[in-house]
Amino acid sequence: MKTSFFLLILTFTVHYGTAQKTVGSIERSDPGLDAIIDHTARAEVIAEGFTWSEGPLWVEPEQMLLFSDVPENTVYKWTENGGTEIYLKPSGYTGTIPGHSKEPGSNGLLLNAGGKLVLCQHGNRQVARMEAPLDEPEPVFHTLADRYNGKKLNSPNDAVYNSKGELFFTDPPYGLPAQNDNDPTKEIDFNGVYKVTADGQVVLLTDKITRPNGIALFPGEKKLLIASSDSNAANWYVLDPENTEKEPELFYSATDKRKGLKGLPDGLKIDSRGIVYASGPGGIWIFDRKGKVLGKIRLQEPASNVALSGDEKTLYITNDMYVLRVRLN
C-alpha cells in the first residue's frame, strides 16, 4: 500500500466560533489507521508558551489535563473552560541550590489506585506521591522510590502502574546537572528500568536499554513497552515485567528513519485495544500491538509524550512549547 503523505501545515481554523491554531498532518501507512484517526484530522494547539512540555495526564473525574514544564519546575492544569493555570510549583526539585539542573521539574505524571498524583521528579531524583488532594494541590511529597541498592537513582522519567499496584518506571540521566552518563553526581553506572513492588521494594528489571524513557503496559499486563531515546538506538522494546532474566526484545527501530526529523522515542501510551501512540522522530507514531506502523501524526517540533482521554476519543500531545489535542475516531 502506497503511503499517503499530507504536508505539514500551521494554520488557523474556525472552532466553536473562534480562531483555533492547528499544526501538523496525518500520514497513513496502513488502512488500519482509518479506524483510529481520520486523515483530515489536525492537532489543535490548546496551550502554548512553555519551555519544554512533558508528562501529560488526563484526569477524568476533574475533566482536566495536567502536564509538566520540566525546566520550569512546574505542573500546569488545563481545562476546556478555564484554560491554562499553574497547578503545582515546585513539582520536581524542592531543594535550594540555584542551577541544580537544567531540567529539575517533574516529568511523567500518573494516578495511583487511590486517585493520588504520582510524579517522576527529576530534581529530587525520585518517584513520589503528592500528599495533598487533587483539587487542593501542594508540594508535599512522599517518596515511593529514590534508591537502588543504596545508591541514588538518576532521574526517574516516566512510570506506569499495573492492576496489582506495582509501579514500573524508567531512570535515564536527563535530570542530572550534566544530563549524561559522565555526570559526577551519577551514582548508578547504568540507566535502568525498575519495578516497585506492593511492599515498596525496588527491583531492577533491565539495565540493557541505553536510554529508557517512555513506558506503558499492553492490555493483559504481560508485556511492557519501553522507548529508548538514544540517537544511536532510537528504538522501542518489549519487556516481560515478571521475568528479570529475559532480555528486552526489539519492537520497532526508527534509528535509520531519523534524518531531517526532530525528536526521538520518548513518552507513549497504549489504548484498550493495544494500539500504541508513541512520540518519536517527526511526531507521534501509531503502531498496532505487533509493531506494525499504521501511520503518524506529523509534527514540526519534537513531541515528548501523549495522554488519552477516558473514552479514548481524544489524544493529548506535549509538543515542545505547545500542548495539542487531536480527535480520534
Side-chain angles (χ1 to χ4, degrees), residues 70-81:
V70 189
E72 302 305 321
N73 202 12
T74 301
V75 170
Y76 285 93
K77 166 187 172 181
W78 176 89
T79 60
E80 185 76 57
N81 295 325

Side-chain angles (χ1 to χ4, degrees), residues 27-323:
E27 179 182 313
R28 180 180 183 266
S29 302
D30 185 272
L33 186 70
D34 296 342
I36 299 165
I37 188 171
D38 190 86
H39 75 273
T40 63
R42 294 290 180 265
E44 304 169 64
V45 178
I46 60 172
E48 60 184 306
F50 309 103
T51 305
W52 177 247
S53 60
E54 254 284 9
L57 168 68
W58 178 253
V59 183
E60 184 70 20
E62 305 291 332
Q63 290 291 293
M64 68 179 177
L65 183 74
L66 300 179
F67 58 94
S68 302
D69 190 334
V70 189
E72 302 305 321
N73 202 12
T74 301
V75 170
Y76 285 93
K77 166 187 172 181
W78 176 89
T79 60
E80 185 76 57
N81 295 325
T84 307
E85 59 187 273
I86 291 176
Y87 177 80
L88 183 69
K89 185 179 178 71
S91 67
Y93 181 57
T94 54
T96 58
I97 302 173
H100 165 76
S101 170
K102 296 177 183 177
E103 296 192 0
S106 59
N107 195 310
L109 307 173
L110 64 161
L111 299 178
N112 67 11
K116 290 278 192 177
L117 181 64
V118 173
L119 309 92
C120 293
Q121 296 184 311
H122 274 191
N124 287 351
R125 298 172 70 169
Q126 65 179 6
V127 184
R129 181 181 68 234
M130 184 179 74
E131 293 295 76
L134 285 175
D135 58 353
E136 296 178 0
E138 292 183 16
V140 179
F141 305 108
H142 171 78
T143 300
L144 300 175
D146 66 347
R147 294 178 182 270
Y148 173 67
N149 282 349
K151 296 181 179 180
K152 280 186 180 180
L153 297 172
N154 300 324
S155 54
N157 186 283
D158 210 349
V160 64
Y161 275 102
N162 67 10
S163 58
K164 295 188 290 186
E166 296 172 322
L167 177 68
F168 302 88
F169 70 92
T170 57
D171 189 40
Y174 300 127
L176 298 177
Q179 298 185 301
N180 59 44
D181 291 335
N182 298 318
D183 192 295
T185 68
K186 194 176 193 292
E187 297 185 13
I188 299 173
D189 61 3
F190 56 82
N191 302 307
V193 180
Y194 298 91
K195 174 171 71 173
V196 183
T197 62
D199 62 1
Q201 182 182 0
V202 180
V203 178
L204 177 66
L205 294 182
T206 185
D207 59 2
K208 298 298 191 296
I209 300 175
T210 52
R211 288 288 188 274
N213 200 312
I215 185 168
L217 281 160
F218 279 99
E221 302 185 345
K222 301 294 185 183
K223 294 180 180 180
L224 279 165
L225 183 63
I226 299 158
S228 171
S229 52
D230 185 339
S231 59
N232 296 313
N235 303 329
W236 291 271
Y237 296 94
V238 172
L239 187 66
D240 184 340
E242 301 300 328
N243 188 350
T244 59
E245 302 299 320
K246 194 171 182 180
E247 297 281 319
E249 297 178 0
L250 184 66
F251 180 76
Y252 189 88
S253 178
T255 307
D256 61 352
K257 300 174 176 64
R258 296 181 52 240
K259 188 175 181 179
L261 301 175
K262 295 181 181 180
L264 288 163
D266 201 322
L268 54 92
K269 297 295 183 295
I270 303 174
D271 72 14
S272 59
R273 299 168 294 174
I275 300 299
V276 177
Y277 304 85
S279 55
I284 304 302
W285 294 55
I286 302 175
F287 301 98
D288 71 9
R289 64 189 308 153
K290 294 182 179 180
K292 178 194 288 186
V293 179
L294 303 178
K296 302 182 186 75
I297 302 171
R298 287 284 191 178
L299 299 169
Q300 198 161 19
E301 301 303 326
S304 64
N305 209 333
V306 298
L308 285 161
S309 62
D311 61 7
E312 300 185 345
K313 292 183 179 180
T314 305
L315 184 72
Y316 297 95
I317 304 168
T318 44
N319 179 216
D320 198 350
M321 72 287 285
Y322 298 134
V323 177

